[in-house]
Amino acid sequence: MLIDFGSSNSIDPKDEVKEYNWGDPIPSSGIWKYIETDENTTEEEIISRFYQLLEKLNDIKMIIGFNILRFDIPLLVQRGKELGVKDVKDANFLFYNTFTVDYFQVCLALNNMRFKGNKLEDCASKLEQISGQQIPKRVGKGSDIAQLYKQKKYDEIKDHLYSDLLVIRAIDLIFVDKCRKACQQEHK
């Protein structure tokens, strides 16, 4: 999870990102990353902490991701229910009463409106061409995560997840900027 209070419009804010540790007070400014990497933490604890963190953020949140409406959110709802962390009604209320942007859906326009082949790295590459801005590069592939987990290469998983968060954030900033400029042109 990347907790971004909009304090920077830098496409690549690596030097600005601070580490959020579980149990710390919720920050009120800056950019914070929270990636659970302790091999002793159970899936139940990870999902529970994720929900707790979302709830602590109250009404100031927007959930932004890539393929989160078709994968991440349904998975969190299902696993939360199966593990007794969150019932379906409460999980759905939390997710669907939060403004959500899924760049998998948004980037369909960059992929001839096709689901097949609509990948994060392709969306980023096309947006780099359109905007002229360089988006941070992804580290590794999502398809490698299961094998990395079996090999207990948690730092490589963390690096991959963090790079995905930075890419999605950059995509969001570019889209928001392009939309803002289009609206300004329309109102001239």
Side-chain angles (χ1 to χ4, degrees):
M1 175 186 291
L2 194 65
I3 306 167
D4 186 347
F5 290 95
S7 54
S8 170
N9 286 329
S10 173
I11 295 295
D12 191 359
K14 283 184 185 173
D15 296 335
E16 302 172 50
V17 179
K18 300 172 201 117
E19 190 88 29
Y20 176 81
N21 296 303
W22 178 249
D24 286 353
I26 298 295
S28 58
S29 64
I31 304 170
W32 301 79
K33 67 177 173 177
Y34 173 64
I35 300 174
E36 189 69 56
T37 58
D38 182 357
E39 65 188 79
N40 297 315
T41 305
T42 66
E43 180 185 11
E44 180 180 348
E45 289 171 311
I46 291 169
I47 292 173
S48 176
R49 289 176 181 180
F50 177 81
Y51 276 118
Q52 289 175 48
L53 195 51
L54 272 184
E55 288 166 350
K56 286 181 184 179
L57 290 169
N58 293 321
D59 295 330
I60 60 171
K61 62 187 168 284
M62 236 174 104
I63 299 175
I64 299 169
F66 194 86
N67 203 23
I68 59 175
L69 292 174
R70 292 174 19 137
F71 180 75
D72 301 271
I73 291 173
L75 178 71
L76 285 165
V77 170
Q78 180 66 31
R79 294 302 293 151
K81 165 75 171 133
E82 289 173 1
L83 296 168
V85 169
K86 192 70 121 177
D87 70 31
V88 172
K89 181 182 174 190
D90 290 341
N92 282 333
F93 182 83
L94 178 66
F95 283 117
Y96 297 108
N97 284 300
T98 301
F99 188 76
T100 305
V101 178
D102 186 341
Y103 278 104
F104 180 80
Q105 305 288 326
V106 175
C107 288
L108 285 170
L110 299 174
N111 195 46
N112 296 315
M113 300 308 288
R114 299 188 196 303
F115 286 114
K116 185 175 181 161
N118 192 21
K119 298 178 182 169
L120 180 59
E121 57 269 11
D122 294 336
C123 179
S125 176
K126 289 173 185 171
L127 281 174
E128 278 184 334
Q129 292 171 6
I130 292 167
S131 70
Q133 297 183 54
Q134 189 164 355
I135 293 176
K137 297 299 176 211
R138 293 181 75 206
V139 175
K141 296 179 183 177
S143 58
D144 296 336
I145 297 298
Q147 189 62 32
L148 291 172
Y149 183 79
K150 287 178 187 173
Q151 297 170 352
K152 299 185 179 204
K153 294 184 177 180
Y154 305 116
D155 286 339
E156 288 182 41
I157 295 171
K158 182 178 178 180
D159 291 344
H160 168 74
L161 295 173
Y162 179 53
S163 72
D164 275 4
L165 292 171
L166 292 178
V167 169
I168 293 165
R169 181 184 178 277
I171 288 170
D172 183 60
L173 288 173
I174 290 170
F175 261 102
V176 168
D177 182 58
K178 290 291 180 191
C179 289
R180 184 180 299 119
K181 287 177 180 173
C183 288
Q184 289 170 345
Q185 285 295 99
E186 186 176 306
H187 293 291
K188 281 187 176 182

